[in-house]
């Protein structure tokens, strides 16, 4: 299962058809080929050091029904660490009730993003997991860093241990959940291509950029990033998608799964967007006490439209 989707080919980087279609539509195929060469299957020393500093990561995977979920894992710095050039150990598992809990007990494709809001740095890892006695082992297939665009700066304020998570499930958003989403300056997206290669990505902007159009319908603008269009390419190939919206102040997480569709009509774009993504919710999981991390209020990114 160690096949690598980004690989050197005679004509450059091996993107899948969904990514290629979006790159061409955006007129950025040449840029994508150049940028994509930074993706590698092994973990550079700088990336290994960065991972070891992090108190949280976000994982993306499909459940046994094929639904995509994004979820957060937390631990003291060092709980995520590289053990060799192609392997990462994560000494944590999802809290009880997290929809990823069952998925991560089996071997499957996952995406992982490590975000350091204090420095506006992030890196992404895609690969295959296997469960361990303390958490997860990841054999890496894709490792790469992203630019600092659209990341709100915030720091860890405290670590609140011992809380018992409380889980609520529904098929649509209630008023409090809609308010949380409307105030969000960041969320995470779980997506995959038609072969099941999962990916976790970050989306950021000013509060309100993630719009609530109804209790089951969200929309967000897609701002210009690295020109590879991995998230949009996955959505173009497979509509199944998951979102994680964290409440940074309280440790509550909102996990949504459903389907996403790229909207190319300029009439619905917000300023600075290349396109929009419409997301239809099929299930909502809210977990209070999902993470012990409590973060400071944000300093919004200066490049937000």
């Amino acid at each position: 299962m160690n096949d690598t989707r980004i690989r050197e080919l005679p004509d450059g980087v091996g993107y899948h058809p969904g990514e290629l279609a979006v790159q061409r539509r955006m007129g950025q195929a040449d840029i994508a080929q150049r940028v994509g060469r930074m993706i590698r299957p092994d973990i550079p020393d700088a990336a290994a050091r960065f991972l070891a500093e992090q108190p949280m990561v976000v994982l993306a995977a499909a459940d046994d029904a094929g639904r995509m979920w994004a979820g957060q894992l937390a631990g003291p710095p060092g709980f995520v660490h590289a053990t060799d050039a192609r392997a990462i150990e994560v000494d944590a598992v999802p809290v009880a009730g997290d929809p990823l809990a069952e998925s991560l007990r089996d071997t499957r494709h996952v995406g992982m993003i490590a975000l350091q809001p204090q420095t506006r740095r992030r890196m992404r890892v895609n690969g295959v997991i296997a469960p361990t006695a303390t958490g997860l082992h990841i054999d890496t297939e894709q490792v790469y860093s992203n630019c600092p665009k659209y990341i709100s700066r915030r720091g860890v304020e405290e670590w609140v241990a011992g809380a018992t998570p409380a889980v609520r499930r529904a098929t649509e958003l209630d008023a409090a959940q809609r308010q949380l989403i409307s105030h969000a300056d960041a969320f995470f997206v779980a997506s995959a291509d038609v072969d099941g290669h999962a990916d976790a990505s970050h989306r950021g902007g000013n509060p309100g950029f993630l719009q609530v159009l109804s209790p089951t319908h969200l929309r967000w603008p897609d701002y210009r990033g690295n020109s590879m269009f991995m998230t949009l390419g996955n959505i173009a190939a497979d509509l199944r998608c998951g979102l994680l919206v964290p409440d940074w102040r309280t440790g509550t997480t909102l996990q949504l799964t459903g389907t996403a569709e790229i909207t190319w009509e300029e009439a619905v774009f917000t300023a600075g967007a290349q396109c929009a993504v419409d997301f239809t919710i099929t299930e909502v999981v809210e977990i209070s006490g999902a993470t012990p991390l409590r973060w400071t209020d944000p300093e919004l990114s200066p490049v937000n439209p």
Side-chain angles (χ1 to χ4, degrees), residues 143-197:
V143 180
Y144 60 105
S145 297
N146 280 152
C147 71
K149 284 181 179 178
Y150 319 121
I151 299 176
S152 293
R153 193 189 304 277
R154 48 175 38 99
V156 177
E157 191 168 65
E158 59 179 331
W159 179 281
V160 180
T164 301
V167 182
R168 292 199 301 136
R169 293 177 178 267
T171 56
E172 62 180 38
L173 301 166
D174 64 23
Q177 293 164 345
R178 296 196 297 271
Q179 184 177 43
L180 169 62
I181 289 171
S182 296
H183 291 165
D185 60 80
F187 65 97
F188 299 88
V189 184
S191 63
D193 66 11
V194 294
D195 295 319
H197 296 93

Side-chain angles (χ1 to χ4, degrees), residues 15-16 18-20 22-24 26-29 32 124 203 222-235 264 274-275:
Y15 292 106
H16 68 68
E19 293 163 332
L20 290 170
V22 176
Q23 292 163 10
R24 290 168 183 149
M26 295 289 195
Q28 297 181 43
R124 285 158 74 175
R203 291 293 183 269
D222 198 86
Y223 302 138
R224 181 160 185 170
N226 56 28
S227 298
M228 291 188 288
F229 301 108
M230 290 183 159
T231 301
L232 291 184
N234 283 347
I235 291 170
W264 299 104
Q274 306 174 102
C275 62

Side-chain angles (χ1 to χ4, degrees), residues 11 25 27 62 88 109 113 115-116 152 156 163 196 232 259 267 292 296:
D11 60 348
R25 176 153 191 157
I88 294 170
H109 288 282
I113 182 168
L115 183 76
Q116 189 174 63
S152 293
V156 177
L232 291 184
T259 57
T296 59

Side-chain angles (χ1 to χ4, degrees), residues 63 67 69-73 93-105 163-170 243-244 253-257 283-291:
D63 64 17
R67 299 175 301 177
W69 295 97
Q72 186 179 137
L73 299 181
V93 294
V95 299
D98 188 314
L100 276 181
E102 290 296 326
S103 299
L104 299 185
R105 291 174 185 166
T164 301
V167 182
R168 292 199 301 136
R169 293 177 178 267
L243 305 187
L244 168 68
T253 58
L254 193 59
Q255 292 166 277
L256 313 173
T257 193
E283 187 171 355
V284 178
V285 178
E286 180 183 331
I287 305 179
S288 60
T291 172

